[in-house]
Amino acid sequence: MSREIQILPNADRLAEVAAEMIVAAAAASVAARGRFTLVLSGGRTPEATYALLTSPEWIGQLPWDKTFLFFGDERFVPPDDSRSNFHMARQALLSRAPIAADHVLPIPTNLSTPAECAAEYARQLAKFFGPQSSAPPSFDLVLLGLGDDGHTASLFPGAAALAEQQAWVTSSPPGVLPPPVDRITLTFPVLNAARQIVFLVAGAGKGKAARAVLLDDPPVQKRPAAGVRPTQGTVTWLLDQAAAALMNAEQ
Ligand code: 6PG
């Protein structure tokens, strides 16, 4: 696994660098395969990047007609619920991006259980990438966040989902961090099949988890983000100064 850490002066510069990486990944993916498959991260941090990508100076830089958007995880709430990751992406990106509806594959949350939603999303991925019996899909770029507890996507410390090695998508009870709702999440086999992963980590609250994951090689059960080790792909950690503040501190 090739891993790079970039420490940016602030969250605005982090959003710019993330947008630059997304534009570069899109160009390379379209040149190589004629399309760009991008997994969006939830939470708050990526909002600034999504808004940048659909701002007047950036919106023409992405090949929207060849771009396909997916979600790394979702809260088990309706898409118009303010806790929904799709809701955030719609507000910050989808409502302004010239992208066709059938190029956006949100995680369904309208079935009766999170597990059924996970199975349905896996079916949709299999339809897009090919049968589930084959290797997990290789997304061109997966955006991920880092929870203060070291979770990523909805892979929470101590959760059964961390051990899932077959299913491409699974469900999970809430972690300790809000919102306390069930989740649906891509699993490690899919995350680790990605060509490129970029973590967006901003704010002092992430400092302890970022230092642990990046410097202490913690058990995945304790800090799930440490389980993101793409077999062929690259991982880039974008941290702002605040999130990187403990990187040079003594143990
Ligand atoms: C979610 C996210 C989650 C998020 C981290 C960081 O559904 O909440 O997928 O993994 O990326 O919790 O969230 P913030 O960016 O809001 O700090």
Side-chain angles (χ1 to χ4, degrees), residues 40-46 72-75 83 85 144-149 151-156 177-179 183 200 202 206:
L40 298 178
S41 173
R44 289 274 158 259
T45 304
D73 67 326
E74 189 53 276
R75 291 85 178 271
R83 297 167 296 179
N85 287 331
L144 288 173
L146 177 71
D148 296 4
D149 60 355
H151 82 256
T152 194
S154 284
L155 297 165
F156 299 116
L177 298 175
R183 308 295 183 93
L200 311 180
K206 311 290 183 189

Side-chain angles (χ1 to χ4, degrees), residues 202-229:
K206 311 290 183 189
K208 207 159 160 247
R211 177 197 163 87
V213 172
L214 292 172
L215 299 184
D216 302 344
D217 192 19
V220 172
Q221 284 293 327
K222 191 158 176 275
R223 304 280 191 179
V228 176
R229 302 187 201 99

